Amino acid sequence: MGRRIACVSWITASLALYVFTRTNTALFLLCASVLTPCAALGLAMLAADKARIALRVPTGLRKGESAQCAVCIEIDAMFPFVYLAMTLSARNTLTGQKSLFPLIFPALRRGKREIRFIFSSAYCGQFIFSCEEFRVFDFLGLWGFRKQTEIQEKRVAPPDTFPLHVALSGGEAPPGGGEVFSVPRKGQDKTEPFQIRDYVEGDGIKQIHWKLTMKFGRYIVTDPSLEIERALLILWDGGQVPAYAPPSVPDALAESFASLCIALSEEDIPYSVGWIDGETGAAELKDVSSMDDIYDVIPGVMGARGTQTPTEDFLLALDGKKYPMVAYFSYLGPDDPEGLASIGRVTSFLCKYDGAGLDSTGRAASDIGMENSPGMGAAADAGKRGSPAAYAGASGFDGAAWQFTPQNYKSVLRDVHI
């Protein structure tokens, strides 16, 4: 603005000089003061088409760590700019946060120049780096005009994890005690037992477990499990953060989700994960059999779209498939609890927060208030003790509810029962 005022003042002075003197010198100064800014703007517009921009962001982002990023610009023009002004943004699709980085390139005629900036985030998530605004200024610095650029980069800062022990329900103990077997469903896979029980008429001789038969003095048989069937489905509905909640809420939910996945994989327990793809809006379902599969799941979950996932979307993706156990991660709970319960026995993991703060036990005030609601008192107490609690029948769940906050989730979820 100051340069424009100075330019207008110079033109006004030149005009006044010519009016009063009517000399050729005054006329030359007047023409130069008018034509020079116009020429500068025209040259800037021509040279702007020759500017090429690239964004460089490291692939291995980590929450809480700084990463050095850079914007590279290459110009092949006869006349230099005064400067290029750019505003980059980094939006976290998990938390909804956006960081802005204003960058200024000084005068550059030909060649390459790099402007570096430091990016860091205290929270995990998928970060979309894009150009919010890009302006090109003439060499006098009087005028700036927008230039379209499509640069965009996506990077994932994975959630940290913490030690978590998980126990799945549905196991059957051999008569008289002993090892507990936990297998999905009865089927035809004889390499893994579904259950161990007493012999009944019609059982095949190949089903007899001879060691246990000798131990207990009666015929004990094993039922085969269902081949390659996943016993557990983990659903991620962490796309919509309540407006009043800080970014620590989705961060804690994502850490809890990732910790459960890793704990299951370390125990060689196969499971499936479902989420909503952030780009297509369609439900994704992936079977996880090893740690390598988790590297495909985490980026998808971190980039989930920013709306609550309708239960109907999960039901359509499953296409009638059932699971004995379902782990459901969310902030608000499902929009259709009964529909979700139709998939299997549901255990919910709800990350709560209330602006009023926490009490001395680390529970959110919203959780304390639930103790007076039908069926929710047990769930609130469970968050305090770190043990599961049954949902009320009115909630649509027949499983357990784990409620935690960003302050206590690591202690509450040390031993998880699903």
Side-chain angles (χ1 to χ4, degrees), residues 4 64 78-80 89 138 164 170 177 179 215 245 284 293 317 336 363 370 396 400 407:
R4 294 183 186 179
M78 293 298 297
F79 299 94
S89 68
D138 63 276
L164 183 152
E179 184 180 1
K215 178 179 179 179
E284 297 286 338
D293 295 329
D336 182 8
R363 289 181 295 160
M370 291 178 182
Q407 288 74 23

Side-chain angles (χ1 to χ4, degrees), residues 39-105:
L41 179 60
L43 291 172
M45 295 178 66
L46 290 174
D49 294 333
K50 298 182 179 297
R52 293 179 292 275
I53 304 172
L55 175 63
R56 190 175 72 242
V57 181
T59 56
L61 295 184
R62 299 289 301 178
K63 59 174 287 189
E65 298 182 2
S66 299
Q68 189 175 80
C69 310
V71 175
C72 303
I73 184 166
E74 183 177 358
I75 296 177
D76 184 14
M78 293 298 297
F79 299 94
F81 303 112
V82 168
Y83 61 85
L84 305 175
M86 176 185 295
T87 301
L88 290 176
S89 68
R91 181 173 63 88
N92 189 335
T93 58
L94 178 69
T95 65
Q97 288 182 304
K98 179 188 286 189
S99 301
L100 297 179
F101 302 91
L103 305 174
I104 294 178
F105 290 81

Side-chain angles (χ1 to χ4, degrees), residues 343-393:
I343 302 175
R345 182 180 182 275
V346 178
T347 299
S348 65
F349 294 79
L350 305 179
C351 189
K352 297 291 185 177
Y353 175 83
D354 192 294
L358 305 172
D359 72 349
S360 59
T361 66
R363 289 181 295 160
S366 58
D367 295 338
I368 301 170
M370 291 178 182
E371 295 177 3
N372 298 323
S373 302
M376 293 306 297
D381 289 339
K384 179 179 178 180
R385 296 192 309 268
S387 58
Y391 255 115

Side-chain angles (χ1 to χ4, degrees), residues 251-265:
D251 185 74
L253 191 70
E255 284 198 9
S256 303
F257 167 86
S259 298
L260 176 62
C261 290
I262 290 178
L264 291 169
S265 296

Side-chain angles (χ1 to χ4, degrees), residues 4 41 135-138 141-146:
R4 294 183 186 179
L41 179 60
R135 286 185 175 272
V136 180
F137 289 82
D138 63 276
L142 300 177
W143 310 101
F145 56 93
R146 292 178 181 269

Side-chain angles (χ1 to χ4, degrees), residues 230 261 265-266 268-271 287-295:
R230 267 63 178 175
C261 290
S265 296
E266 288 178 345
D268 294 325
I269 300 175
Y271 59 95
D287 292 334
V288 179
S289 301
S290 65
M291 292 290 291
D292 292 338
D293 295 329
I294 297 180
Y295 297 114

Side-chain angles (χ1 to χ4, degrees), residues 20-218:
F20 287 105
T21 64
R22 297 290 179 170
T23 62
N24 291 335
T25 302
L27 179 60
F28 175 79
L29 290 175
L30 177 60
C31 293
S33 62
V34 173
L35 294 178
T36 301
C38 296
L41 179 60
L43 291 172
M45 295 178 66
L46 290 174
D49 294 333
K50 298 182 179 297
R52 293 179 292 275
I53 304 172
L55 175 63
R56 190 175 72 242
V57 181
T59 56
L61 295 184
R62 299 289 301 178
K63 59 174 287 189
E65 298 182 2
S66 299
Q68 189 175 80
C69 310
V71 175
C72 303
I73 184 166
E74 183 177 358
I75 296 177
D76 184 14
M78 293 298 297
F79 299 94
F81 303 112
V82 168
Y83 61 85
L84 305 175
M86 176 185 295
T87 301
L88 290 176
S89 68
R91 181 173 63 88
N92 189 335
T93 58
L94 178 69
T95 65
Q97 288 182 304
K98 179 188 286 189
S99 301
L100 297 179
F101 302 91
L103 305 174
I104 294 178
F105 290 81
L108 177 65
R109 187 176 68 181
R110 287 186 177 180
K112 297 180 180 180
R113 179 161 292 179
E114 182 178 276
I115 297 293
R116 299 180 181 181
F117 63 97
I118 301 298
F119 170 80
S120 65
S121 175
Y123 307 104
C124 62
Q126 176 183 259
F127 296 89
I128 300 178
F129 294 82
S130 59
C131 182
E132 292 279 312
E133 185 180 47
F134 180 35
R135 286 185 175 272
V136 180
F137 289 82
D138 63 276
F139 65 84
L140 293 178
L142 300 177
W143 310 101
F145 56 93
R146 292 178 181 269
K147 176 180 171 61
Q148 295 294 328
T149 177
E150 302 297 329
I151 60 172
Q152 186 180 91
E153 295 288 343
K154 293 183 180 179
R155 296 291 186 269
V156 173
D160 293 337
T161 58
F162 56 92
L164 183 152
H165 176 263
V166 58
L168 302 183
S169 61
E172 294 289 342
E179 184 180 1
V180 176
F181 294 85
S182 178
V183 192
R185 300 176 182 174
K186 185 176 180 179
Q188 303 299 322
D189 185 8
K190 297 180 181 180
T191 61
E192 292 288 346
F194 167 72
Q195 64 179 353
I196 298 176
R197 56 176 175 81
D198 289 334
Y199 176 88
V200 296
E201 187 175 356
D203 288 334
I205 190 171
K206 292 183 179 181
Q207 290 181 251
I208 298 177
H209 195 299
W210 292 106
K211 289 186 178 180
L212 292 179
T213 296
M214 296 293 292
K215 178 179 179 179
F216 296 105
R218 62 184 188 277

